[in-house]
Amino acid sequence: AFVVDKSKRTIRVYRADGDLPVLLEEHPTDIGKNQGAKEKANDGRTPIGIYFLLNKILLTTSFEVVFFI
């Protein structure tokens, strides 16, 4: 599972260990330039919700991974 903390601008990666989540990694992440709830397209805010990964692309550098959701 991936959990994004908008206030800390971090993404955490968890795996399940039975019924308990186990933190694997935490990384800085970028979100919309404006704070607050998403209201309309192009408002510069990041929507809150549950998203499912569709695809993963590895880029040429070792530290960049792009996920399409």
Side-chain angles (χ1 to χ4, degrees):
F2 296 90
V3 177
V4 175
D5 185 328
K6 288 174 60 174
S7 65
K8 294 181 181 179
R9 293 182 176 264
T10 59
I11 185 168
R12 293 184 184 131
V13 181
Y14 292 88
R15 70 169 171 81
D17 185 4
D19 291 336
L20 299 174
V22 176
L23 178 63
L24 298 177
E25 304 174 32
E26 180 176 279
H27 302 279
T29 190
D30 198 12
I31 58 173
K33 63 182 178 180
N34 295 323
Q35 294 184 3
K38 182 86 177 160
E39 295 177 10
K40 60 182 179 180
N42 300 316
D43 65 5
R45 294 182 174 101
T46 300
I48 297 172
I50 298 172
Y51 300 90
F52 298 92
L53 298 178
L54 299 176
N55 203 348
K56 175 176 81 171
I57 296 176
L58 297 175
L59 302 176
T60 56
T61 60
S62 61
F63 61 91
E64 292 181 320
V65 176
V66 175
F67 292 97
F68 289 98
I69 53 176

